[in-house]
Amino acid sequence: MTDSNKRGASALARAGAHAAVGFIAALRFVPHPLLRALGNGLGALLWRVAGSRRRIVLRNLELCFPELDAAARERLGRAHVRMLARSLLDRSFAFSASAERLRQLVKIEHRERLPDDRPVILLSPHFVGLDAGAAVLSIDRDWCSVMSTQSNPVFDKAVRDGRLRFGHGLLLSRQEGLRAIVRAIRDLRAFYYLPDMDFGPRDSVFVPFMGVPAATITGLARLAQMTRAAVVPCVTRMTDDGYVVTLYPEWENFPGDLPPDDPAHARRMNAFIEERIREMPEQYYWVHRRFKTRPPGEPSLY
């Protein structure tokens, strides 16, 4: 491809990205019941066309719910992709709606469990509503989180602008390392932490997740020890008419006297997430290859 063709393709990609961002932002004016119906339709389409991701979803469900037969896993997988598609369209208000509109659609349970006067880590597993939860919590609370840079700069800017629009947030990159996160937590920014993915073998231990050994990072215990932060689990549940953010009681004696890389901490985190998954299995992020990293000598599960 010539340089002029590359420039043309790049300009076309930017124009398409701007159009997509504008379309998503415009969806915030669509009545929410209609937006949910559109999400259901999009989810049905994605299930049919996204073959590789569909296979990942079904494989994850096979590993995590061996008691279900193939038909039940298929139904659960379809329900999950519908929920995921709804959440994608709901970013139209999560990233651009007014504070008043957000509070109407996203309710917070037990706000009193979020301390304002000491360091806190919000353990926020990958359920489909996590962006809606982060949005409503960011309205009037200093916070920080880690964000991966999007490959498309237009999308990257739109996501960053949406997450930071209330002026209380700080988005860090993984390249900034642990020191930047520790500093932000000590500055009393609530750390919205999503540690329940497969980040590879580094700083990970293998502990069960839904009965399957999974590479689980030890960052939660490490950060809690370094900052003396309260660990408050935070789970966002999609409902028929919006979302509910539930703040759970602060974990007592965490990490205690055990070293932060002790597998007991990772097991405790995974056990909490498993309990929430069994309450709403269709809302967990099954499109991620959670079991990609395997113990030495063990073949791939995918």
Side-chain angles (χ1 to χ4, degrees):
M1 182 182 290
T2 65
D3 288 344
S4 61
N5 287 339
K6 290 180 180 178
R7 288 193 295 271
S10 178
L12 185 61
R14 287 196 302 272
H18 281 296
V21 169
F23 174 74
I24 292 294
L27 289 177
R28 71 184 186 275
F29 299 112
V30 175
H32 201 244
L34 177 56
L35 193 64
R36 283 290 167 84
L38 292 173
N40 287 336
L42 177 61
L45 175 63
L46 291 176
W47 183 257
R48 296 185 63 180
V49 303
S52 61
R53 288 295 172 180
R54 182 175 67 244
R55 287 190 290 273
I56 291 171
V57 169
L58 290 175
R59 179 56 171 154
N60 281 333
L61 296 178
E62 180 184 15
L63 292 167
C64 295
F65 297 96
E67 70 277 13
L68 298 181
D69 60 24
R73 293 195 298 268
E74 172 97 5
R75 289 192 295 272
L76 181 53
R78 287 178 180 272
H80 167 64
V81 174
R82 285 197 302 272
M83 291 284 191
L84 183 60
R86 289 181 185 180
S87 72
L88 293 174
L89 296 189
D90 282 347
R91 282 164 172 76
S92 59
F93 70 79
F95 290 169
S96 56
S98 67
E100 180 182 6
R101 175 67 170 153
L102 266 177
R103 288 191 175 107
Q104 290 173 349
L105 292 171
V106 187
K107 307 300 183 184
I108 301 177
E109 290 183 338
H110 304 297
R111 173 61 177 81
E112 73 279 359
R113 291 173 176 166
L114 176 58
D116 296 314
D117 57 351
R118 59 194 177 106
V120 60
I121 299 170
L122 293 171
L123 170 59
S124 306
H126 276 81
F127 289 92
V128 297
L130 64 89
D131 270 314
V136 76
L137 289 169
S138 74
I139 292 174
D140 55 10
R141 179 64 161 84
D142 288 343
W143 63 277
C144 65
S145 192
V146 175
M147 176 178 165
S148 299
T149 301
Q150 307 296 305
S151 58
N152 186 299
V154 175
F155 290 137
D156 188 76
K157 184 178 185 303
V159 172
R160 290 178 184 276
D161 288 350
R163 289 175 174 168
L164 297 173
R165 72 187 187 281
F166 294 117
H168 300 288
L170 175 66
L171 289 175
L172 304 169
S173 70
R174 299 195 186 283
Q175 289 69 34
E176 291 179 87
L178 197 63
R179 184 174 299 178
I181 298 173
V182 169
R183 184 166 54 248
I185 295 173
R186 287 174 175 169
D187 287 342
L188 300 187
R189 291 185 178 272
F191 182 41
Y192 200 70
Y193 191 31
L194 293 69
D196 58 319
M197 299 188 82
D198 188 330
F199 294 104
R202 182 179 177 183
D203 298 324
S204 295
V205 292
F206 282 97
V207 294
F209 181 75
M210 300 295 289
V212 183
T216 306
I217 58 174
T218 59
L220 181 63
R222 192 177 307 277
L223 287 169
Q225 184 183 73
M226 295 175 69
T227 63
R228 298 184 179 180
V231 173
V232 177
C234 173
V235 175
T236 303
R237 182 178 76 256
M238 180 185 288
T239 64
D240 289 340
D241 56 359
Y243 295 86
V244 174
V245 182
T246 301
L247 296 170
Y248 290 79
E250 175 186 338
W251 282 1
E252 296 182 2
N253 194 35
F254 185 85
D257 297 327
L258 296 174
D261 58 352
D262 190 291
H265 305 312
R267 284 198 297 269
R268 180 175 181 178
M269 181 181 77
N270 283 356
F272 171 82
I273 298 171
E274 289 172 11
E275 290 176 0
R276 307 288 79 74
I277 288 174
R278 295 192 183 281
E279 293 170 353
M280 47 178 181
E282 73 285 353
Q283 296 199 32
Y284 194 65
Y285 195 66
W286 297 115
V287 297
H288 170 64
R289 289 190 292 174
R290 182 63 185 90
F291 308 105
K292 177 181 178 180
T293 301
R294 306 312 309 143
E298 184 176 312
S300 172
L301 295 177
Y302 297 97

